[in-house]
Amino acid sequence: MAERVIPLHPHRPAPQALHVPAQALVQGASLADQLGRPLRDLRISVTDRCNFRCSYCMPKEVFDKDYPYLPQSALLSFEEITRVARQFVQLGVRKIRLTGGEPLLRKNIEILIEQLAQLRTPDGQPLDLTLTTNGSLLARKAQSLKDAGLQRVTVSLDGLDDAVFRRMNDVDFPVAEVLAGIEAAQAVGLGPIKVNMVVKRGTNEHEILPMARHFHGSGQVLRFIEYMDVGATNGWRMNEVMPSAEVVRTISAEMPLVPMEAAAPGETAERWAYADGGGEVGFISSVTQAFCGDCNRARLSTEGQLYLCLFASQGHDLRTLLRGGASDAELAAAIAHVWQGRSDRYSQLRSQLPADASSATSGRRVEMSYIGG
Ligand code: SAM
Ligand code: SF4
Ligand code: SF4
């Protein structure tokens, strides 16, 4: 039988081999990268598949039925994910976010959540354990997620108008089911719930005010995300980005906003409060206001590659170490070593380029659905 040749994947560059350094491991508390940034936040992508085809993330023309998704054997198992996560926690991680693709499509995700919920920081504290979802399966799964130990959810929702929403998810999914998911999550105590809206000029900016009105006073925090040049398939153009400052002005004209203090260093969203006491809104402005300076996030891809930046062109191969018999101490040492060498600050560099430049790195970038948002 002819040998099957597996082609190099167009959106998953070959990973960099990870080495266990000879020198002793630096203790987590003092672990810092080249720009002095600690390691606090770990985002874990549990699947590269999704039931939506948002054009800014998994455009239908590319992610079609022939798209080479990862085979099951390539995925980290729940035990492998938990083992890696435990090392990250030893090195300073305090927050874990499950993402994807659509994380609720990963079979038995509740089992992984149960395992992660048992992890403790070196001083015995539980982690901040959360998950980002498109909400399509949330009404059905909210209770089991809560029971498994999930603390909060973030739900992505790009508009309230059913026709606009169906067009944006590009699989004709009705908005009412996502809203029911948000309600179910609220009812079982998966709050405070954050709702992420990607604003794409020319597509959904007229949904800004209806969304702001809907979530005003609800206790659910709406966050506006600037459309980012992540990945290589969404055909990103600067003129489709609506700067957060413009969104602030749009909302303020009807419902005045006042700036708030950041809750924690490294927080992605700039927070504003409604002057009338109707809660807060957030703005994630990675295009117009880079926040690389205190970025403390690491990303673990679906197949166990460690990425140091959302825009990185290459990951570091933790899976080979994991499956090759490395001890926990060796895994932790390898992760610490990679983090200490980190100097990524893509958004900051891109903001120094002319407005019409499409990329600040020459290498290929991985897709958001692969390393998670
Ligand atoms: N499927 C889940 C969801 O949509 O919530 C989790 C994964 S998704 C990749 C994570 C987040 O990234 C979502 O809030 C999504 O809106 C955001 N996202 C994806 N592509 C983006 C882009 N090009 N610019 C800005 N945000 C993007
Ligand atoms: Fe799927 Fe989320 Fe990407 Fe939309 S943003 S295609 S829901 S992974
Ligand atoms: Fe962090 Fe990279 Fe985003 Fe900058 S561009 S905030 S370094 S993930």
Side-chain angles (χ1 to χ4, degrees), residues 49-54 56-58 100-102 134 156 369:
R49 293 163 197 255
C50 187
N51 53 344
F52 283 12
R53 287 294 176 273
C54 309
Y56 52 70
C57 179
M58 296 179 77
E102 173 46 45
N134 63 24
S156 303
S369 51

Side-chain angles (χ1 to χ4, degrees), residues 28 42 51 62 123-124 140 158 184-185 218:
L42 177 64
N51 53 344
V62 177
D123 54 0
R140 217 174 307 161
D158 297 331
S218 68

Side-chain angles (χ1 to χ4, degrees), residues 208-227:
I208 293 169
L209 275 172
M211 286 281 284
R213 288 182 202 123
H214 181 86
F215 290 104
H216 174 267
S218 68
Q220 295 150 3
V221 180
L222 177 59
R223 304 175 334 152
F224 297 92
I225 305 183
E226 287 178 349
Y227 171 40

Side-chain angles (χ1 to χ4, degrees), residues 123-239:
D123 54 0
Q125 299 303 310
L127 302 173
D128 183 5
L129 184 57
T130 175
L131 175 148
T132 303
T133 172
N134 63 24
S136 58
L137 300 171
L138 195 51
R140 217 174 307 161
K141 282 187 163 266
Q143 188 66 57
S144 62
L145 294 171
K146 176 71 183 173
D147 294 345
L150 190 69
Q151 288 162 358
R152 299 183 290 115
V153 286
T154 296
V155 182
S156 303
L157 177 63
D158 297 331
L160 279 183
D161 180 87
D162 193 50
V164 172
F165 184 68
R166 284 177 191 256
R167 201 159 53 239
M168 287 194 79
N169 63 55
D170 215 8
V171 293
D172 211 27
F173 196 87
V175 73
E177 287 192 37
V178 177
L179 292 173
I182 294 173
E183 289 316 309
Q186 180 82 41
V188 302
L190 283 172
I193 294 171
K194 291 178 184 162
V195 176
N196 280 353
M197 172 177 176
V198 175
V199 183
K200 209 174 159 189
R201 200 194 287 283
T203 305
N204 67 337
E205 72 263 44
H206 44 281
E207 289 297 303
I208 293 169
L209 275 172
M211 286 281 284
R213 288 182 202 123
H214 181 86
F215 290 104
H216 174 267
S218 68
Q220 295 150 3
V221 180
L222 177 59
R223 304 175 334 152
F224 297 92
I225 305 183
E226 287 178 349
Y227 171 40
M228 287 188 282
D229 50 333
V230 68
T233 60
N234 61 12
W236 182 88
R237 292 208 317 271
M238 186 68 197
N239 61 9

Side-chain angles (χ1 to χ4, degrees), residues 85-86 89-90 93-94 114-127 151:
R86 188 176 295 116
V89 172
Q90 291 308 312
V93 161
R94 297 293 173 264
E114 265 171 31
Q115 293 176 4
L116 295 174
Q118 282 164 24
L119 296 180
R120 291 291 176 271
T121 66
D123 54 0
Q125 299 303 310
L127 302 173
Q151 288 162 358

Side-chain angles (χ1 to χ4, degrees), residues 45 83 86 156 229 231 259 335 362:
S45 174
R83 189 168 163 226
R86 188 176 295 116
S156 303
D229 50 333
I335 296 166
S362 51

